Amino acid sequence: MSTSSADQATASVVQALQTLYHDPDSSSKKRANEWLEEFQHSVEAWQTCHTLLTSPEAPLEGRLFSAQTLRAKILYDLSQLPREQLPPLRDSLLSSLSPLCSPTAPSGSKAVLTQLCLALADLALQMPEWENVVGGMIDQFGKDPSTVIVLLGFLKSLPEEAGNPRIPLSNDEVQAMLSALVSGSAEQVLGVLTMYIQATGVTTQIQISVFETLRSWLQAGEVMASQVAQTPLFDASFDALTSDQLFDAAVDVLCDLIHETQEVEDNVEVVQQIVPRVIALRPQLEKHKEDADRIRGYCRILCEAGECYKDLIVRHPQDLLPLVQSIAECAAYPDLDIVPITFYFWYTLAMTLGRHPSDPSIQPILDIYANLQTVIIGHLHFPGDDEHQTAQERDEFRTFRHRMGDTLKDCCHVLGAPTCLKRSYDLIVNAMGKPSPSWQEIEAPLFSMRSMGAEVDPDDDEVLPHIMDMLPKLPDHPKIRYAAILVISRYTQWIDRHPENLAFQLQYISAGFDMAEEEVSAAAAQAMKFMCQDCNQHLVPFLPQLHTFINSVGDKLDQADMVEVCEAIGYIISSMPAEPAASALKEFCQPLIQKIQSVAVAETEVDKPTLQKVADCLEQLDSYLSVVRSIDPLPQECHQTAVEVYGVLDSLLNRYSKLYYISERVSTVFRRGLTFFPSTALQPIIQPLLSRMTISFEQTGYSSYLWITGKVTSKFGDVANQPENQALGELLLGSFQSVTNVMSRMLQDKVALEIPDVMDDYVHLLIAYLTSIPALVLSSPSLQPAISHVLATLTCHSPEIILVSLDTLVILSNHLPSNHRLQEIFMTYGKAIVGLLINGLIVQDFPEDALDQIRIILNALTSTGTTQSQEIESWFAETINGLPGYVVPGGEKQAFLNGFHLHLIERSSSDKLKNALNNLVRAARRARDRGRQARKSLGAV
């Protein structure tokens, strides 16, 4: 590159970075970012970035971009350089390091140094001719205190990058470099770290870097805990806990050191050194109890030890009891950000102890679990001034309570559910014995009872009867009522085995609907649903009572609660024999249908609140039917109901089909009806239903009308294929052609991206037709516009919509060999198909699952156009060459086109196409990953 060209390239990079970071125009930023990403792939980037990196006048953005780019090019593009240029590249990087450590180094130099250390590590791993790497770095940077940070930065990066999957080495090459460069240097590195940690006057910065480097080698498995234990680094790590500046680094390295000894039998001597030092930390919990950050660090160390040595705790409970006690102190700490650190320990220890251990030596640990239950219930207490919490704080605390509930299950696991339930029960009894207990003292143990439900045997008769007897005696506070109702909800399987108090419990739940608080009503609806689901046969005699309940309070309930109540009753009905089930379902649904009918046939249009009530009635109908699903056999006298109900809904749509929420609710009921009624009962309404769906879709463009058209076709497709039902087949086909024509008109005014729900349901409709009446559809004049609509759907961003559209094209591809007309359509749209699929896969970020579908479609397309190979090849060439260079580098584009050319020549196998597509996708992923790394690094400026 000439001097003037180099200067121009450098200026262009600086200008692009200036735009990226300082130009307020987002489109300009986007163009600058894309230009920079593409520039990073170029050969010129090596020299330009070296110039910027070594220029004292270069801005921080330029130097960091250059360091990051050089690292990326060493990772991805090292093959661009002849091997003889690698030593000068290495020397250039090495010479750039020392100035970054000087007191006069500009701000941001640390980030540049980090990138260069990573770059050198990546280079060393790909450059076997670079001998004595670690020794040379120690000689060059390890003797001057001002450059020791450079050495430690490199040593930290080396084992981290050794496992970097982006480095283009084979497994054998990786193992060889690991052995020579990393594993072979472990003793030397450990010696250097030991020397620095003991050095007189060593700075805090160097000490922290020593611990960070040690962590890196421990995590990579290149330095063993046993090796560290034989050096002063072991004591130094524990001693550093007394230093405010070194505390965090010491906690991190100690957690890693302990973690590396989890295979206890292989690390007995080290564990024997670690355990006393960890147990000796217990007094620090009291000493620093006002310092939450310190407690968090100690808690991390203690829990790491507890998790790793859980088997030792069980085998030697007396010796390890102080460790468990220390973790219990952490669990009792009032800072609820620290408490969860202990949760995994309690879980792993509980699983190791097993259910109800009987060994007497374990009893002290069981006592700790017993106390832990009380501690956790204490943490469950809502704050006394929760009205001052923000909505987010309340939500976070509720989520945290459920996490604590998991730890209560761990207590049940080792202590037994009856013991734990009894303890929660006793806490409530004790609270109620006080003159004026707070509601929190009662609510928290109730919550714990619900949390422990999964561990309770439904046949338990030891404690649950007392709990159920206690519930009606609880104070009538909304929070307590809410928790108590949910306790009933959790133990409905037990109630099913003990139905003697069912009447009271049903009444207790129903009374919850009368309370003003919405959450109590919601809890009552949920409990009603679970009660009816689990105790359905016991509740059949209560149906008249429930019918009266719905008629009396139905209008007062929130719709969401009413829906759950309807589902609850549906569970009872579903447990009944056919005749009484049909009668009961009619009894509950008839009032809803009558309300809908009164609006559908009203002489004048009704107001919005009334229409909303109609929508609610439709949703309640859906709730009954979603649970009951079908009655088999449906009594003959109920068949006419399909015609009657359809007449009501058709009248409603005739007036209100343009109201979206009405269309959605009616369509859902239609969908349930198609499942509920047998085909013979539905045949009289097929023609009017399809006609109504077509008219309504044309008037509104609502996707729900397409959805039902597809469901009707799926229901009656097999019948329509029979020779005697030709008229039915023509009726279904006519609906397909009508809605396809409507879609064509819609897409003249809108793009698919604006109506993704419509496109989705149209594609599902087409699949229903192709699988139900394929011969009729494939011969239809509407097939070509239908395929055009599917291709338009591929521009939508939803992964689900894209996959179903590709499924449709795969189905069509399977018909290609035997259908000449379909072959002509595919060739007509061939260029568009190639462009949409390749761009979708590479640029639009189609889901990973799409690759196999795309391969099938493209293989079918290329197999079809055997006489048009040149034209097909031009489609692919135009599409591939149109991909931006930062998305797929030029060399990878050409490799794909070469592979595709071979595919066209051979045609006997799709492997060439498959391999070419796989390589193209991998190249795009590498470029995308490279761009992400670049943006991440640049974002640190």
Side-chain angles (χ1 to χ4, degrees):
M1 187 188 297
S2 66
T3 304
S4 60
S5 298
D7 291 344
Q8 185 176 357
T10 304
S12 297
V13 169
V14 172
Q15 180 58 52
L17 289 167
Q18 176 71 19
T19 302
L20 182 64
Y21 287 109
H22 305 293
D23 193 318
D25 181 55
S26 58
S27 60
S28 298
K29 286 178 178 289
K30 184 174 182 293
R31 286 194 300 272
N33 183 67
E34 291 173 353
W35 185 89
L36 287 167
E37 286 190 30
E38 191 155 353
F39 166 79
Q40 288 181 307
H41 292 275
S42 69
V43 176
E44 294 76 15
W46 291 102
Q47 182 59 49
T48 302
C49 289
H50 174 265
T51 302
L52 269 173
L53 185 64
T54 56
S55 171
E57 295 81 21
L60 172 60
E61 294 97 326
R63 289 184 292 114
L64 183 54
F65 172 78
S66 299
Q68 185 275 331
T69 299
L70 287 171
R71 189 225 168 175
K73 292 194 76 62
I74 289 170
L75 267 178
Y76 300 105
D77 300 332
L78 199 60
S79 60
Q80 290 178 344
L81 298 179
R83 296 301 297 185
E84 60 268 19
Q85 289 190 18
L86 298 191
L89 171 63
R90 173 199 62 197
D91 296 341
S92 170
L93 293 174
L94 290 172
S95 66
S96 302
L97 293 173
S98 296
L100 297 172
C101 302
S102 71
T104 59
S107 63
S109 295
K110 183 177 180 181
V112 177
L113 176 61
T114 298
Q115 288 297 315
L116 292 180
C117 286
L118 290 167
L120 276 166
D122 294 331
L123 181 60
L125 289 163
Q126 298 177 78
M127 192 176 168
E129 60 267 39
W130 183 1
E131 298 178 350
N132 191 27
V133 174
V134 171
M137 292 294 290
I138 293 171
D139 290 341
Q140 186 167 353
F141 298 103
K143 298 174 181 177
D144 184 344
S146 67
T147 59
V148 166
I149 293 299
V150 172
L151 172 63
L152 294 175
F154 173 78
L155 293 179
K156 177 179 180 293
S157 300
L158 194 56
E160 293 173 354
E161 291 303 288
N164 189 339
R166 302 185 194 95
I167 295 177
L169 295 176
S170 67
N171 289 336
D172 290 341
E173 289 172 325
V174 169
Q175 290 305 315
M177 292 306 295
L178 274 175
S179 177
L181 184 58
V182 183
S183 304
S185 303
E187 288 285 354
Q188 193 176 14
V189 170
L190 205 55
V192 168
L193 298 181
T194 301
M195 177 183 70
Y196 289 139
I197 207 69
Q198 293 179 296
T200 304
V202 63
T203 64
T204 300
Q205 183 185 16
I206 290 177
Q207 288 175 295
I208 292 173
S209 294
V210 166
F211 289 140
E212 289 175 345
T213 304
L214 178 58
R215 284 190 72 203
S216 180
W217 285 74
L218 278 168
Q219 290 173 349
E222 298 299 338
V223 166
M224 301 296 106
S226 56
Q227 293 174 284
V228 178
Q230 296 170 13
T231 72
L233 288 165
F234 181 83
D235 287 334
S237 300
F238 278 99
D239 294 343
L241 292 172
T242 61
S243 164
D244 291 340
Q245 293 87 357
L246 300 177
F247 182 80
D248 290 339
V251 168
D252 288 340
V253 78
L254 285 170
C255 286
D256 283 331
L257 183 68
I258 294 168
H259 187 77
E260 293 305 313
T261 65
Q262 59 185 308
E263 300 296 335
V264 175
E265 302 303 328
D266 298 332
N267 294 278
V268 173
E269 293 183 4
V270 190
V271 173
Q272 289 174 341
Q273 288 180 260
I274 289 174
V275 169
R277 296 297 298 260
V278 171
I279 289 175
L281 296 176
R282 187 178 181 186
Q284 302 300 317
L285 298 176
E286 175 63 27
K287 180 178 179 181
H288 296 285
K289 62 183 179 182
E290 302 301 326
D291 186 344
D293 290 333
R294 283 268 186 171
I295 298 298
R296 181 180 293 104
Y298 289 128
C299 182
R300 284 181 57 204
I301 295 171
L302 291 163
C303 289
E304 187 66 52
E307 292 162 20
C308 291
Y309 307 148
K310 58 187 181 297
D311 294 320
L312 283 180
I313 293 172
V314 175
R315 292 203 298 265
H316 307 283
Q318 188 171 3
D319 295 334
L320 276 295
L321 182 63
L323 175 59
V324 184
Q325 290 170 330
S326 299
I327 298 172
E329 285 188 41
C330 295
Y333 195 70
D335 188 330
L336 297 187
D337 287 333
I338 292 172
V339 175
I341 299 172
T342 70
F343 288 170
Y344 187 66
F345 165 72
W346 300 119
Y347 166 73
T348 56
L349 182 58
M351 294 304 107
T352 306
L353 287 165
R355 290 190 181 275
H356 322 153
S358 56
D359 184 346
S361 66
I362 297 293
Q363 189 56 48
I365 293 177
L366 300 186
D367 292 341
I368 290 176
Y369 269 99
N371 186 63
L372 176 66
Q373 181 189 351
T374 305
V375 166
I376 293 295
I377 292 175
H379 289 319
L380 288 172
H381 284 215
F382 280 103
D385 58 346
D386 67 329
E387 65 272 8
H388 297 301
Q389 287 184 308
T390 64
Q392 181 178 348
E393 287 172 336
R394 282 194 293 271
D395 288 343
E396 288 174 352
F397 182 65
R398 289 175 189 274
T399 300
F400 178 57
R401 293 180 100 214
H402 288 287
R403 290 189 62 198
M404 289 192 283
D406 291 336
T407 300
L408 290 172
K409 293 188 188 80
D410 301 332
C411 296
C412 283
H413 188 81
V414 296
L415 300 174
T419 300
C420 292
L421 281 177
K422 180 66 164 56
R423 184 168 289 105
S424 295
Y425 171 81
D426 289 342
L427 287 171
I428 296 174
V429 171
N430 293 339
M432 291 175 63
K434 297 179 182 179
S436 54
S438 67
W439 64 264
Q440 288 93 338
E441 292 178 273
I442 298 172
E443 189 278 340
L446 284 171
F447 180 91
S448 74
M449 291 174 177
R450 177 159 63 105
S451 297
M452 295 185 287
E455 293 288 325
V456 178
D457 185 344
D459 292 320
D460 169 67
D461 288 337
E462 188 175 337
V463 184
L464 278 171
H466 300 288
I467 291 174
M468 294 300 170
D469 289 342
M470 175 187 66
L471 295 181
K473 303 169 188 174
L474 296 176
D476 199 24
H477 187 284
K479 296 283 189 183
I480 294 174
R481 175 63 70 104
Y482 171 80
I485 288 173
L486 289 180
V487 168
I488 293 177
S489 173
R490 187 62 187 81
Y491 291 101
T492 49
Q493 290 183 351
W494 181 88
I495 293 170
D496 180 49
R497 291 163 171 78
H498 304 78
E500 54 272 11
N501 292 321
L502 199 54
F504 160 73
Q505 288 152 349
L506 194 60
Q507 182 276 328
Y508 189 83
I509 291 170
S510 301
F513 292 111
D514 296 328
M515 300 193 79
E517 287 74 11
E518 289 184 6
E519 69 172 4
V520 180
S521 181
Q526 179 183 319
M528 181 80 76
K529 181 176 176 179
F530 286 128
M531 177 81 81
C532 294
Q533 189 172 356
D534 290 333
C535 311
N536 47 33
Q537 294 187 346
H538 295 302
L539 287 169
V540 171
F542 291 89
L543 274 178
Q545 179 182 331
L546 288 168
H547 189 262
T548 302
F549 166 77
I550 280 191
N551 289 336
S552 60
V553 304
D555 291 338
K556 302 174 188 175
L557 291 184
D558 179 87
Q559 174 66 1
D561 297 340
M562 190 63 197
V563 164
E564 289 212 85
V565 172
C566 293
E567 290 176 354
I569 294 168
Y571 284 115
I572 302 175
I573 295 172
S574 67
S575 72
M576 300 166 66
E579 291 280 352
S583 176
L585 184 62
K586 182 176 180 180
E587 183 179 9
F588 280 92
C589 292
Q590 191 65 39
L592 298 172
I593 295 169
Q594 290 171 349
K595 290 178 183 178
I596 297 167
Q597 185 176 30
S598 66
V599 171
V601 301
E603 294 183 3
T604 59
E605 292 198 357
V606 298
D607 57 15
K608 188 173 181 179
T610 304
L611 284 170
Q612 184 58 56
K613 289 182 179 178
V614 168
D616 291 346
C617 289
L618 290 163
E619 187 177 16
Q620 290 164 35
L621 275 175
D622 172 51
S623 300
Y624 285 118
L625 293 173
S626 68
V627 174
V628 176
R629 295 188 62 79
S630 63
I631 294 175
D632 187 23
L634 185 68
Q636 188 65 39
E637 60 269 23
C638 296
H639 285 209
Q640 184 60 26
T641 304
V643 177
E644 294 168 357
V645 173
Y646 173 74
V648 173
L649 298 180
D650 183 69
S651 298
L652 185 67
L653 285 181
N654 187 46
R655 300 180 68 171
Y656 301 109
S657 65
K658 294 182 180 179
L659 293 177
Y660 181 76
Y661 61 96
I662 293 292
S663 76
E664 288 290 303
R665 295 283 182 247
V666 171
S667 295
T668 303
V669 175
F670 279 152
R671 175 70 184 93
R672 300 297 180 196
L674 288 169
T675 301
F676 181 81
F677 289 102
S679 298
T680 52
L682 293 168
Q683 282 186 351
I685 69 168
I686 297 174
Q687 189 279 328
L689 175 56
L690 287 173
S691 176
R692 175 61 65 192
M693 294 300 96
T694 301
I695 293 169
S696 297
F697 179 60
E698 185 168 14
Q699 291 174 339
T700 66
Y702 294 156
S703 64
S704 56
Y705 300 125
L706 292 175
W707 181 51
I708 294 304
T709 302
K711 295 301 179 185
V712 171
T713 304
S714 296
K715 176 88 173 180
F716 291 97
D718 288 342
V719 179
N721 285 320
Q722 297 169 3
E724 65 271 20
N725 292 315
Q726 182 179 351
L728 176 58
E730 291 175 355
L731 178 63
L732 294 173
L733 183 63
S735 291
F736 166 70
Q737 294 176 164
S738 296
V739 297
T740 299
N741 291 337
V742 175
M743 284 293 303
S744 297
R745 292 194 292 273
M746 286 181 68
L747 290 171
Q748 289 175 359
D749 299 324
K750 295 181 178 179
V751 296
L753 199 58
E754 297 177 280
I755 48 172
D757 55 335
V758 178
M759 304 307 297
D760 185 29
D761 277 317
Y762 179 80
V763 173
H764 277 97
L765 175 145
L766 180 54
I767 288 178
Y769 272 90
L770 287 170
T771 53
S772 300
I773 50 172
L776 291 173
V777 175
L778 292 172
S779 62
S780 167
S782 294
L783 180 61
Q784 183 162 340
I787 293 174
S788 174
H789 303 337
V790 175
L791 296 178
T793 307
L794 289 171
T795 62
C796 297
H797 294 318
S798 164
E800 292 78 12
I801 296 177
I802 289 167
L803 288 174
V804 76
S805 301
L806 293 172
D807 280 339
T808 309
L809 291 174
V810 168
I811 293 171
L812 289 165
S813 298
N814 293 334
H815 290 284
L816 272 174
S818 60
N819 192 304
H820 179 71
R821 183 161 175 275
L822 188 57
Q823 292 173 11
E824 291 179 342
I825 295 172
F826 260 60
M827 291 307 296
T828 299
Y829 291 130
K831 183 177 179 181
I833 292 172
V834 172
L836 284 165
L837 297 188
I838 296 295
N839 276 287
L841 192 62
I842 304 302
V843 180
Q844 193 179 324
D845 205 16
F846 275 10
E848 287 188 17
D849 295 348
L851 183 56
D852 284 341
Q853 296 166 298
I854 288 172
R855 179 182 55 78
I856 292 170
I857 297 162
L858 292 179
N859 188 56
L861 176 64
T862 55
S863 299
T864 298
T866 53
T867 60
Q868 297 164 285
S869 296
Q870 191 172 354
E871 184 180 6
I872 292 174
E873 193 162 11
S874 71
W875 297 340
F876 277 85
E878 183 177 339
T879 299
I880 295 297
N881 289 325
L883 296 172
Y886 65 88
V887 173
V888 178
E892 305 288 356
K893 294 180 187 179
Q894 191 57 51
F896 172 83
L897 292 174
N898 293 342
F900 180 69
H901 181 72
L902 291 175
H903 164 73
L904 287 178
I905 292 172
E906 296 182 9
R907 291 189 189 273
S908 58
S909 167
S910 63
D911 283 351
K912 289 287 190 299
L913 177 60
K914 178 181 178 180
N915 294 337
L917 281 171
N918 288 340
N919 291 335
L920 186 69
V921 170
R922 279 195 286 268
R925 284 177 185 160
R926 283 196 301 271
R928 192 157 48 239
D929 178 61
R930 183 172 180 169
R932 261 197 305 269
Q933 295 296 324
R935 288 189 292 275
K936 181 180 177 182
S937 182
L938 289 171
V941 176

